[in-house]
């Protein structure tokens, strides 16, 4: 069995869905193909704004109404573009939108309920996309079974970042395999799951890759293919870097390291389950589906060997000094990490000296402000904003110099394979 995953950009218009369907059709085999799909285009961002949050005033409710219309127009336009005159699919999508309205109306808009509410609302993006696409594939003569991922992937009630119950999911996957028998495609949603008592959960933004990996692991699939708008695994994000090189083969561990440092090619949690089962992960282009792409698998080194770059923009560097002139040692560090952990702030790079401790974090202003506020009782805090953290794997001095390009280096860390520098954003 093979698992395919299509992200939002690969299904963001009627033409995109037609292209995606062609790719699926050209890979049909004797066994059902498991296809995991994200919400269409930027639907998840839009749905995030519809999550009930606090008492809705007149202003808010107008904005809410506009967004709700946008959501409907966008999906109905795709439906009409794909299946003109098909009343059945219009009815299906209409009924999902009604369910969404009823869901929103039923939720308590309190801060404590926010994460729970988020999952109940945002999960409709994937329900909409897969309902439309399953209908389309069936009309194209591809026998497709729509599978509700919330009946298959079981998580705990940690909303917005559900943690998988592997036992329960494996059992449910067995049922999925049975249901899919005799079909050409089992089509399901990425990103969404449910608790044992059937409350919707989500796996974290961009979590559809992870969904594909969870299913592949539990089904013992032979491979996973992620179809993307890039030709494969590139050595840098083409948005930041003019001449990227495609990496053909990547060892599992390398892919995990890169995701950890912030490479955005694949969701960080995706690789581990695949590595455990030795399932290869292909990254291929939906724009040029005939090209070969990249494979993450059981390799010793990357090929071709070339430096890999990860840029994280909008970083802030906090330098923390104990007010009582004590040293930065375990006791102070414990306090600092306690605060970071409580606020859910991830440290991208850290360094300590006897008298100060420096951390580089994403600049999420409200959180950082809260952190600084709390630190101030025991520490003096200085900070630099508008920074870039560059991670270079397989660096050479020449490559570092080229990247730094004369900018002052605020923090630098070097290990055998990895160089990390914090510099002002250009
Ligand atoms: N639709 C979700 C998101 O945009 C999940 C995904 O695309 O992987 O975050
Ligand atoms: Mg997406």
């Amino acid at each position: 069995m093979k698992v395919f995953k299509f992200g939002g950009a690969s299904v963001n218009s009627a033409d995109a869905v037609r292209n995606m369907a062609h790719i699926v059709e050209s890979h049909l085999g004797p066994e059902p193909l498991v296809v995991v799909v994200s919400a269409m285009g930027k639907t998840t961002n839009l749905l995030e704004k519809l999550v009930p949050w606090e008492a809705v005033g007149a202003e808010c409710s107008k904005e809410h109404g506009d967004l709700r219309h946008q959501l409907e127009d966008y999906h109905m336009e795709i439906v009409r573009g794909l299946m003109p005159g098909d009343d059945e699919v219009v009815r299906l999508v209409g009924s999902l939108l009604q369910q969404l309205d009823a869901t929103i109306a039923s939720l308590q808009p309190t801060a404590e309920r926010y994460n729970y509410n988020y999952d109940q609302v945002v999960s409709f993006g994937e329900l909409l996309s897969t309902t439309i696409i399953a209908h389309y594939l069936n009309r194209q003569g591809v026998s497709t079974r729509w599978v509700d991922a919330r009946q298959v992937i079981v998580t705990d009630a940690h909303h917005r970042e559900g943690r998988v119950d592997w036992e329960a999911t494996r059992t449910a996957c067995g049922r999925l395999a049975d249901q899919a028998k005799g079909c050409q495609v089992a089509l399901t949603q990425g990103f969404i799951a449910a608790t044992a008592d059937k409350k919707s959960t989500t796996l974290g933004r961009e979590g559809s890759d992870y969904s594909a990996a969870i299913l592949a692991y539990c089904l013992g699939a032979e491979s996973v293919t992620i179809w993307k708008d890039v030709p494969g695994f590139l050595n840098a994000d083409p948005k930041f870097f003019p001449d990227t090189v495609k990496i053909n083969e990547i060892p599992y561990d390398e892919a995990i390291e890169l995701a950890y440092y912030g490479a955005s090619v694949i969701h960080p949690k995706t690789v581990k389950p695949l590595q455990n089962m030795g399932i290869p992960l292909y990254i291929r282009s939906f724009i040029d589906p005939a090209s070969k792409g990249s494979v993450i698998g059981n390799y010793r080194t990357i090929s071709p060997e070339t430096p890999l770059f990860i840029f994280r923009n909008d970083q802030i560097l906090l330098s923390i000094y104990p007010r009582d002139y004590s040293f930065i040692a375990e006791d102070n560090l414990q306090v600092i990490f306690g605060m970071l952990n409580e606020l859910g702030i991830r440290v991208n790079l850290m360094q300590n000296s006897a008298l100060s401790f420096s951390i580089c974090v994403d600049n999420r202003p409200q959180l950082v402000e809260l952190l600084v506020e709390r630190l101030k009782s025991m520490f003096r805090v200085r900070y630099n904003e508008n920074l870039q953290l560059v991670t270079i794997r397989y660096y050479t001095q020449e490559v570092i110099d080229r990247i730094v390009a004369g900018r002052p280096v605020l923090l630098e860390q070097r290990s055998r394979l990895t160089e990390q520098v914090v510099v002002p954003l250009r």
Side-chain angles (χ1 to χ4, degrees):
M1 209 175 246
K2 290 182 182 168
V3 178
F4 278 11
K5 181 257 170 175
F6 290 91
S10 64
V11 292
N12 65 2
S13 67
D15 278 343
V17 174
R18 271 190 281 270
N19 177 58
M20 172 258 175
H22 281 309
I23 295 175
V24 167
E25 281 167 48
S26 60
H27 288 89
L28 296 175
E31 270 186 324
L33 182 64
V34 177
V35 178
V36 176
V37 184
S38 300
M40 292 173 156
K42 304 258 183 274
T43 299
T44 306
N45 294 355
L46 196 158
L47 282 165
E48 281 185 338
K49 298 189 193 134
L50 292 178
V51 179
W53 162 232
E54 44 204 356
V56 188
E59 271 301 289
C60 284
S61 68
K62 171 157 187 324
E63 200 202 331
H64 182 108
D66 290 349
L67 290 167
R68 170 61 181 75
H69 275 125
Q70 256 183 51
L71 180 77
E72 178 156 355
D73 291 349
Y74 175 60
H75 285 89
M76 286 302 184
E77 193 186 318
I78 293 177
V79 163
R80 280 192 303 270
L82 280 173
M83 299 166 267
D86 189 321
D87 296 337
E88 170 71 3
V89 65
V90 171
R91 198 185 54 72
L92 286 171
V93 171
S95 119
L96 270 177
L97 290 165
Q98 271 172 16
Q99 277 178 46
L100 168 67
D101 293 339
T103 302
I104 292 175
S106 73
L107 297 169
Q108 292 164 27
T110 59
E112 304 80 69
R113 300 290 282 177
Y114 183 77
N115 288 349
Y116 171 81
N117 291 352
Y118 180 102
D119 286 352
Q120 310 319 306
V121 172
V122 165
S123 47
F124 275 89
E126 273 70 12
L127 295 174
L128 284 163
S129 66
T130 51
T131 299
I132 296 169
I133 294 168
H135 198 83
Y136 178 68
L137 284 172
N138 276 313
R139 273 181 51 132
Q140 294 301 103
V142 179
S143 68
T144 302
R145 178 176 286 268
W146 182 87
V147 176
D148 189 338
R150 298 168 303 174
Q151 308 278 346
V152 181
I153 300 182
V154 185
T155 69
D156 64 3
H158 195 270
H159 286 283
R160 296 184 70 185
E161 189 79 55
R163 285 170 293 217
V164 176
D165 178 337
W166 292 96
E167 258 321 298
T169 302
R170 195 198 288 272
T171 309
C173 272
R175 286 197 299 271
L176 160 73
D178 286 341
Q179 281 174 23
K181 276 201 187 109
C183 292
Q184 290 172 294
V185 170
L187 184 89
T188 194
Q189 307 79 35
F191 181 53
I192 75 175
T195 58
D197 58 351
K198 299 285 176 261
K199 298 284 185 247
S200 300
T201 55
T202 58
L203 302 169
R205 284 304 305 266
E206 304 301 325
S208 297
D209 294 351
Y210 185 40
S211 300
I214 296 167
L215 295 177
Y217 177 89
C218 291
L219 290 164
E222 67 179 86
S223 66
V224 174
T225 305
I226 297 183
W227 296 90
K228 294 190 65 91
D229 57 0
V230 285
F233 200 113
L234 303 177
N235 73 327
D237 186 332
K239 272 186 256 148
F240 301 115
F241 213 70
D243 355 275
T244 49
V245 177
K246 180 166 71 90
I247 311 297
N248 299 320
E249 294 169 353
I250 306 108
Y252 290 114
D253 283 343
E254 183 66 40
I256 293 171
E257 292 278 356
L258 292 169
Y260 174 80
Y261 288 123
S264 56
V265 205
I266 32 170
H267 186 275
K269 289 184 185 165
T270 307
V271 180
K272 199 75 200 142
L274 300 178
Q275 179 179 30
N276 287 351
M277 293 283 279
I279 301 170
L281 172 62
Y282 295 93
I283 299 168
R284 297 182 61 178
S285 161
F286 63 77
I287 298 163
D288 181 13
S291 69
K292 224 171 139 255
S294 307
V295 199
I296 299 171
N298 255 325
Y299 303 103
R300 281 200 34 249
T301 57
I302 57 165
S303 132
E305 275 192 41
T306 178
L308 308 172
F309 303 91
I310 299 130
F311 298 89
R312 287 183 96 109
N313 287 344
D314 206 7
Q315 298 292 295
I316 180 162
L317 183 66
L318 299 173
S319 303
I320 305 165
Y321 308 83
R323 281 193 188 281
D324 58 4
Y325 302 104
S326 60
F327 293 128
I328 286 289
E330 289 71 11
D331 47 354
N332 279 325
L333 287 173
Q334 190 176 17
V335 172
I336 298 169
F337 278 109
M339 292 177 185
L340 289 165
N341 187 34
E342 257 169 44
L343 293 170
I345 297 180
R346 197 198 116 126
V347 176
N348 297 330
L349 188 64
M350 60 184 136
Q351 194 155 297
N352 67 303
S353 71
L355 297 175
S356 81
F357 182 59
S358 301
I359 54 172
C360 182
V361 299
D362 294 344
N363 191 6
R364 291 189 286 163
Q366 282 148 341
L367 274 184
V368 171
E369 234 168 76
L370 264 177
L371 174 66
V372 172
E373 213 36 61
R374 291 191 190 177
L375 284 168
K376 271 185 176 161
S377 60
M378 288 177 64
F379 305 93
R380 271 191 313 117
V381 185
R382 286 199 3 222
Y383 61 90
N384 292 71
E385 290 174 287
N386 295 322
L387 304 177
Q388 183 178 52
L389 167 64
V390 190
T391 304
I392 312 171
R393 302 267 295 163
Y394 310 101
Y395 60 85
T396 61
Q397 190 55 49
E398 189 237 307
V399 164
I400 297 170
D401 293 343
R402 186 148 50 87
I403 291 295
V404 169
R407 290 177 284 179
V409 173
L410 283 87
L411 198 65
E412 177 168 24
Q413 233 167 64
R414 186 174 295 192
S415 65
R416 198 169 56 82
L417 288 181
T418 312
E419 161 84 8
Q420 293 191 282
V421 282
V422 178
V423 287
L425 248 178
R426 255 193 290 244

